[in-house]
Structures are given as C-alpha cells and as structure tokens.
Amino acid sequence: MATERLRPIEDEAWRGFLLAHDRIWRSIEAGLAPLGVSMAEYSVLALLGEAGPKGMRMSDLAERRLMSTGGFTRLADRLERRGLIERQRSVVDGRGFNATLTSQGRALLRKAWSQHHRDLRTLFFDRLDDDDLRRLAEIWGRLSAHGQ
Amino acid sequence: MATERLRPIEDEAWRGFLLAHDRIWRSIEAGLAPLGVSMAEYSVLALLGEAGPKGMRMSDLAERRLMSTGGFTRLADRLERRGLIERQRSVVDGRGFNATLTSQGRALLRKAWSQHHRDLRTLFFDRLDDDDLRRLAEIWGRLSAHGQ
DNA sequence: TGTAGTTAGCTGCACAGACAACTAACTACG
DNA sequence: CGTAGTTAGTTGTCTGTGCAGCTAACTACA
C-alpha cells in the first residue's frame, strides 16, 4: 500500500508506451480502412496466408488473435460472408472447422499486406535502427518472462 | 509496392510491441476489475485527481483520453451515475461542463491508484532498469516525432 | 462398451465506443 | 447589432467483442 509516486523517467517510459501504441495502431488501421479491412480482419488473413492451403483451425486462429472464440466466430462470419475465407469441417475432428483463404481473400491480403508494410516502415522501422530493434526485442522478452 | 519481407529482428520488435502491450493492458485491467473500474474509467479519475478541485473540461478529458466526445459523454455518464464524478456547467463558457471528483470518486481513485501502481511495478518497472527506461522514452520520442 | 468429463464452435445478450446529426452557446465580422 | 460560422456536448444508431450457456463431438477410464 506504500506505493510511492512514479519517477519522471518511469512515467515517461510508461505513458510513452501507451501513447506510441495507440498512435501507431490508429495510423495502421486508417491505412487499411480504404481497403475495407480492420487490423483484426487483416491479421486473420495474414495468419491464413502464412498457413498456406492447409489453413488453420478456428480455435488456433482465435488464440493467435488473442480473442474469445465467441468473438472470433463473428469475425470469421464477416470474412466468410465477404468471400475472403472459407470454413470446412475438419476431417480429423468433427467438432472443428478449418479456415482457408479464398483466392479473393488472397488477393485482398496482397494489397493489405503491402499497405500495412508501407505504413509500418514509415511509422516504426524508418525511425529505429537495428540497435533499437534488438533492444526492444530484448525488452519485450523480459516483460513477457514468466516469474518476476 | 516493392515491399519486401520483414527481417526477423524487425518482426520480433514489432510483434513483441503488440504482444507486450496487449498482455500488460489486460493484466492491469484484470487488476482493476475487482474495484469495478476499467482502465478507461480509472484514467478519467486519475486525470481529475491530478487536476484537483477545479476539475477539467469534458472536451479536454476526451482529448487526453484519445476518445471521441460522443464516447466520452457516455463514459462520464457512467461515472456520474455511480457518484464518482460531478458535472457543473462552466461559468466562463455556457456550452461547456466542468467535471470534478466527488469524495467517493477520490476514495475509489486512491484504491485504484494503489492497485494500478502495484501491477505496473511487477509487470513493467521491476523488469526494466533505468537504462531501459531512458532508452524506451527516447524511442517513444522518435516514434512520435512529426516528420519522418 | 458405456458413461463422465472435456473441447470446438455457435448463439443470445450486454456493453463500450465510433460516427453523424443535432442543439445551444459562443465568436467575428459586416 | 445581426448574421454566419464555429465549438461543446448530447443523442441515435451501429459495430465489434466478451461472457455465459448451449450442442455436438471427442477422449478416457471403469
């Protein structure tokens, strides 16, 4: 309970983290918006793009996206309704579904990917050198480490 | 259009950023949840706490919170309905309202603040030394710089 | 093999927030 | 002073997501 005030440098590092994330996230969303995809939607297409023709299980997609399975069902519904992905009942597990990109989905992914990377460059990578990137990666590792 | 693949270190720095933010954000929300406040609600209380008895304008709060004024009206409604803040018509500008903490709000802020800082310590500050913090602050600065 | 427990995904409901349209109040300029 | 334009805040509507509860399918163990 004896939590004492943050020191200025702590405050700056923390507030900056939140602010930078917010700013960059919004910018990237705004870049994708003209293509009609949100970050959430884009990232599903990207995951399926990486997965190739065998696709991915719904639950794995939900987990990678860090969202609830309920929420992900709706997200997949939207993508399927727009003809960007397809769901097939899994052969090995009758409860599950396998999602794959349609060719339309693949086409949109290409455009979105290119936009996304362009924005990422100007917002993030152009402003950081390799030393920064290594340091960041190392810091993320420490922040995610299990114990304290 | 010649956007080439991300290098591994870029990928790691970027993905780690998103992941770390998500993880920490959720943990802090979870810490506040038993007190019945979300991060959004807490941060309004915190802003009003800093502002002192003179309070803050609705629009300034919305801006600091990086949310739409429409959305902020609802957020303020919730806090007011729970007796945590009060709105008074501004004396100097008849269109505006000034929000201030009630004593109930101040009491809740104290508890939430302490919880928030405890979590922030174990999730963030305990894992980073001053050199990390300085480096982060510097990086956030570069990421928010206007031009490229 | 049958039964108990678990898992995958879907659905109903609730809620936070965005956006656009609106009203009331302010400002500037002829 | 009056009129045109701007600003502060609210409201209606919509969308995305979480959670709890559900069904169907799987697994393990007696």
Side-chain angles (χ1 to χ4, degrees), chain B residues 67-68 78 93-95:
Chain B
M67 56 189 295
S68 66
R78 287 193 317 265
D93 182 345
R95 295 165 300 177

Side-chain angles (χ1 to χ4, degrees), chain A residues 58-103:
Chain A
M58 294 282 288
S59 45
D60 293 338
L61 285 165
E63 194 182 354
R64 287 290 299 274
R65 280 252 54 249
L66 301 172
M67 55 187 297
S68 66
T69 62
F72 186 75
T73 291
R74 311 293 165 78
L75 175 46
D77 287 348
R78 290 192 314 267
L79 294 172
E80 192 171 39
R81 211 175 315 118
R82 292 169 55 190
L84 301 173
I85 68 169
E86 267 170 356
R87 266 184 278 213
Q88 304 107 32
R89 193 123 232 161
S90 163
V91 201
V92 298
D93 182 344
R95 295 165 302 179
F97 287 91
N98 225 266
T100 49
L101 280 182
T102 61
S103 55

Side-chain angles (χ1 to χ4, degrees), chain B residues 56-118:
Chain B
M56 274 181 83
R57 280 293 284 273
M58 293 284 287
S59 45
D60 293 339
L61 285 166
E63 193 182 356
R64 286 291 298 272
R65 278 251 58 246
L66 301 173
M67 56 189 295
S68 66
T69 62
F72 187 76
T73 291
R74 310 290 163 79
L75 175 45
D77 288 347
R78 287 193 317 265
L79 294 173
E80 192 171 39
R81 211 175 316 119
R82 292 170 54 191
L84 302 172
I85 68 169
E86 267 170 356
R87 268 185 276 213
Q88 303 107 33
R89 193 124 230 162
S90 163
V91 200
V92 297
D93 182 345
R95 295 165 300 177
F97 286 90
N98 226 267
T100 50
L101 280 181
T102 63
S103 56
Q104 243 190 96
R106 214 167 301 114
L108 180 52
L109 171 58
R110 263 192 299 275
K111 274 188 257 175
W113 185 87
S114 138
Q115 176 67 43
H116 180 252
H117 280 62
R118 204 168 17 246

Side-chain angles (χ1 to χ4, degrees), chain A:
Chain A
M1 197 57 67
T3 6
E4 66 296 325
R5 213 164 224 322
L6 290 187
R7 288 176 298 131
I9 185 63
E10 290 176 330
D11 201 68
E12 215 182 326
W14 170 244
R15 282 239 230 285
F17 181 45
L18 296 182
L19 222 72
H21 179 273
D22 201 276
R23 249 181 40 87
I24 294 177
W25 184 272
R26 282 171 207 259
S27 301
I28 293 184
E29 287 259 32
L32 290 174
L35 297 169
V37 275
S38 66
M39 268 291 261
E41 289 158 352
Y42 166 73
S43 76
V44 173
L45 299 182
L47 283 169
L48 290 177
E50 284 174 34
K54 63 187 180 321
M56 274 180 83
R57 282 292 285 273
M58 294 282 288
S59 45
D60 293 338
L61 285 165
E63 194 182 354
R64 287 290 299 274
R65 280 252 54 249
L66 301 172
M67 55 187 297
S68 66
T69 62
F72 186 75
T73 291
R74 311 293 165 78
L75 175 46
D77 287 348
R78 290 192 314 267
L79 294 172
E80 192 171 39
R81 211 175 315 118
R82 292 169 55 190
L84 301 173
I85 68 169
E86 267 170 356
R87 266 184 278 213
Q88 304 107 32
R89 193 123 232 161
S90 163
V91 201
V92 298
D93 182 344
R95 295 165 302 179
F97 287 91
N98 225 266
T100 49
L101 280 182
T102 61
S103 55
Q104 244 190 95
R106 215 167 301 115
L108 180 53
L109 171 57
R110 263 193 298 274
K111 274 188 258 174
W113 185 86
S114 137
Q115 176 67 44
H116 180 252
H117 280 62
R118 205 169 15 247
D119 290 341
L120 216 43
R121 272 237 168 267
T122 61
L123 292 166
F124 200 74
F125 298 123
D126 284 353
R127 298 155 183 258
L128 303 174
D129 60 31
D130 278 18
D131 193 55
D132 293 322
L133 296 178
R134 273 189 296 271
R135 184 66 169 268
L136 283 178
E138 191 229 323
I139 287 177
W140 307 142
R142 251 179 297 141
L143 290 181
S144 310
H146 236 67
Q148 82 280 28

Side-chain angles (χ1 to χ4, degrees), chain B residues 2-16:
Chain B
T3 6
E4 65 296 326
R5 217 165 220 321
L6 290 187
R7 289 176 296 133
I9 185 63
E10 290 176 330
D11 201 66
E12 214 181 326
W14 170 245
R15 283 238 230 285

